């Protein structure tokens, strides 16, 4: 059977990357894959670039306060559901990753009787997946502690589907010789010394001003023998370059605003300073990397919860955004560099990670499509 699978999700890299990783496995299994997204999200560029068909629907966020948008909500919602129903006609299964796109897709699937698989990436689920889980054939989780209600026996922990490049790096890191080779190759591409202990600082593609400012302000105290790869976010590199030059640390501090081959930065990292989005945490644990997490202090607190298991296992430390200052870098980050504790953190991180979530989720979707999971 060549199953026809529809996937729903988009907006941010946190939704698009696991969707694409799972789509890669589904296509490799002979499935025909269509993606439902919007014209505004990252999926508008990344899904076609991956060779997948994209069906766009109107973005229908629920207004948080009375506004003119509320008057048009019902007709816009109906148009989105109808458009999803057109994409789902003849589909064998829908897999949703949450966000604005998934809610109308779940409603259309219920109307058509198409089995649904929900994947929730965060430790605290969003509204779309809380709705979708009620009728789902199976709910797949990244974190075992995620409180997402589903019918008895319908919840499985699979982890977060990783981008192929990250999954490949994770496998290479399981073997010391392969890991050394990956590190040396990546260091050569980045133009840095593979023998130095390397701290990676990243706030994601958009960057994190708090991380940029605090770490750069502590540059003068960077431990001897260490180096930094600092990904500032697009357009946020100039102040960091100025601070590093003023501190006299430019010869050991690579500043980039964006890196298309993020796997290179991860291949050379010994310690990572970063936010704790679900995708980030999944990649860090899959790669066995010690982390200093600085959770984004907005939203519903999911970033702090995402980091909980990694921190609890001893593989990471957590510093609140308000507390992440230059002094915190001097007293809580730099002392880890080259320490016995960093070795212990790396060992604890390796014990947490998994690399086969995309394959496991794809198998669940195919099982639902072929009727092996009853609705």
């Amino acid at each position: 059977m060549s199953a026809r699978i529809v996937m729903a999700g988009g907006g941010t890299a946190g939704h698009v990357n696991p969707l694409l990783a799972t789509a890669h496995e589904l296509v490799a299994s002979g499935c025909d894959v269509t993606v439902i997204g919007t014209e505004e999200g990252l999926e508008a560029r990344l899904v076609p670039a991956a060779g997948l068909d994209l069906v766009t629907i109107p973005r229908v966020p629920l207004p948080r306060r009375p506004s003119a948008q509320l008057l048009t909500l019902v007709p816009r919602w109906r148009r989105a559901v109808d458009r999803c129903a057109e994409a789902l006609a003849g589909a064998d299964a829908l897999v949703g990753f949450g966000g604005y796109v998934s809610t109308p897709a779940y409603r259309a699937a219920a109307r058509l009787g198409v089995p649904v698989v929900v994947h929730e990436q965060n430790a605290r689920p969003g509204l779309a997946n809380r709705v979708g889980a009620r009728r789902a054939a199976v709910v797949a989780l990244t974190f075992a502690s995620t409180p997402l209600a589903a019918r008895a026996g319908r919840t499985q922990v699979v982890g977060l589907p990783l981008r192929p490049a990250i999954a490949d790096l994770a496998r290479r890191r399981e073997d010391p010789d392969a890991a050394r080779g990956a590190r040396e190759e990546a260091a050569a591409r980045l133009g840095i010394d593979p023998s130095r202990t390397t701290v990676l600082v990243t706030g994601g593609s958009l960057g994190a001003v708090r991380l940029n400012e605090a770490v750069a302000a502590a540059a003068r105290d960077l431990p001897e023998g260490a180096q930094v790869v600092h990904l500032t976010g697009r357009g946020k590199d100039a102040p960091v370059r100025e601070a590093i030059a003023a501190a006299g640390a430019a010869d050991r501090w690579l500043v980039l605003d964006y890196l298309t081959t993020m796997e290179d930065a991860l291949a050379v990292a010994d310690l990572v300073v970063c936010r704790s989005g679900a995708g980030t945490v999944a990649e860090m644990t899959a790669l066995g990397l010690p982390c200093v997490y600085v959770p984004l202090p907005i939203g519903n607190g999911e970033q702090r919860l995402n980091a909980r298991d990694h921190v609890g296992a001893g593989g990471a430390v957590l510093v609140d955004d308000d507390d992440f200052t230059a002094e915190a870098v001097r007293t809580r980050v730099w002392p880890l560099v080259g320490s016995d504790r960093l070795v212990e953190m790396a060992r604890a991180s390796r014990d947490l990670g998994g690399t086969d979530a995309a394959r496991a989720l794809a198998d669940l979707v195919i099982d639902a499509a072929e009727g092996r999971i009853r609705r």
Side-chain angles (χ1 to χ4, degrees):
M1 174 183 176
S2 177
R4 181 168 180 270
I5 308 299
V6 176
M7 311 182 79
T12 65
H15 288 131
V16 178
N17 285 336
L19 182 153
L20 291 177
T22 308
H24 177 79
E25 294 292 340
L26 288 168
V27 170
S29 297
C31 297
D32 175 35
V33 174
T34 298
V35 179
I36 299 175
T38 69
E39 293 180 350
E40 298 86 3
L42 280 177
E43 66 275 15
R45 175 172 55 88
L46 297 182
V47 168
L52 300 171
D53 292 332
L54 176 67
V55 173
T56 58
I57 65 170
R59 185 174 177 269
V60 192
L62 184 66
R64 295 182 181 274
R65 58 181 60 87
S67 69
Q69 274 193 325
L70 194 59
L71 299 175
T72 63
L73 176 62
V74 172
R76 287 186 295 121
W77 166 258
R78 287 175 176 164
R79 284 196 298 272
V81 173
D82 289 343
R83 183 70 170 144
C84 289
E86 292 172 8
L88 282 162
D92 296 297
L94 166 72
V95 52
F97 291 82
Y100 296 127
V101 174
S102 293
T103 313
Y106 293 147
R107 180 67 189 93
R111 177 196 297 177
L112 298 175
V114 175
V116 172
V117 176
V118 170
H119 183 274
E120 175 55 54
Q121 62 166 312
N122 288 300
R124 177 172 287 167
L127 175 60
N129 280 350
R130 293 203 303 272
V131 171
R134 296 171 188 165
R135 295 177 177 269
V138 63
V139 176
L141 304 177
T142 296
F143 303 105
S145 58
T146 300
L148 191 56
R151 287 173 288 177
R154 301 295 174 89
T155 301
Q156 294 193 35
V157 179
V158 300
L160 188 76
L162 300 173
R163 290 173 285 161
I166 301 299
D168 179 65
L169 176 61
R171 295 184 189 101
R172 293 185 71 179
R173 287 178 68 98
E174 292 174 357
D175 175 77
D177 291 335
R180 189 178 309 110
R183 182 185 184 97
E184 291 173 353
E185 293 162 13
R189 287 189 288 268
L190 294 171
I192 63 174
D193 185 347
S195 67
R196 289 182 181 271
T197 299
T198 304
V199 180
L200 170 62
V201 180
T202 174
S205 60
L206 298 178
V209 173
R210 170 76 71 176
L211 272 60
N212 291 346
E213 292 179 345
V215 177
R220 199 176 300 276
D221 299 301
L222 178 66
E224 190 68 31
Q227 64 188 355
V228 174
V229 174
H230 194 148
L231 308 181
T232 65
R234 292 191 187 278
K236 297 181 173 70
D237 55 317
V240 174
R241 293 182 192 279
E242 293 171 6
I244 300 309
D251 61 330
R252 293 190 290 144
W253 205 293
L254 175 63
V255 180
L256 300 169
D257 71 339
Y258 187 75
L259 184 62
T260 56
T261 54
M262 184 65 184
E263 60 273 15
D264 283 343
L266 294 169
V268 300
D270 297 291
L271 174 66
V272 184
V273 179
C274 55
R275 296 299 196 188
S276 51
T280 298
V281 174
E283 291 183 357
M284 297 306 112
T285 54
L287 295 168
L289 287 171
C291 294
V292 175
Y293 289 125
V294 186
L296 190 67
I298 62 175
N300 59 9
E302 70 271 10
Q303 286 212 357
R304 173 178 285 274
L305 294 176
N306 292 341
R308 180 171 54 190
D309 290 348
H310 195 186
V311 173
V317 297
L318 188 145
V319 181
D320 286 336
D321 188 81
D322 285 345
D323 297 333
F324 195 73
T325 61
E327 183 61 21
V329 175
R330 295 186 189 100
T331 59
R332 302 191 65 179
V333 179
W334 294 157
L336 294 173
V337 175
S339 69
D340 290 340
R341 185 183 178 191
L342 191 65
V343 175
E344 295 168 0
M345 289 172 67
R347 186 179 300 113
S349 298
R350 283 194 297 271
D351 291 340
L352 283 179
T355 61
D356 60 351
R359 183 67 258 167
L361 180 56
D363 287 343
L364 286 178
V365 174
I366 292 170
D367 284 347
E370 297 184 350
R372 287 190 289 272
I373 301 175
R374 293 184 178 181
R375 281 171 273 166

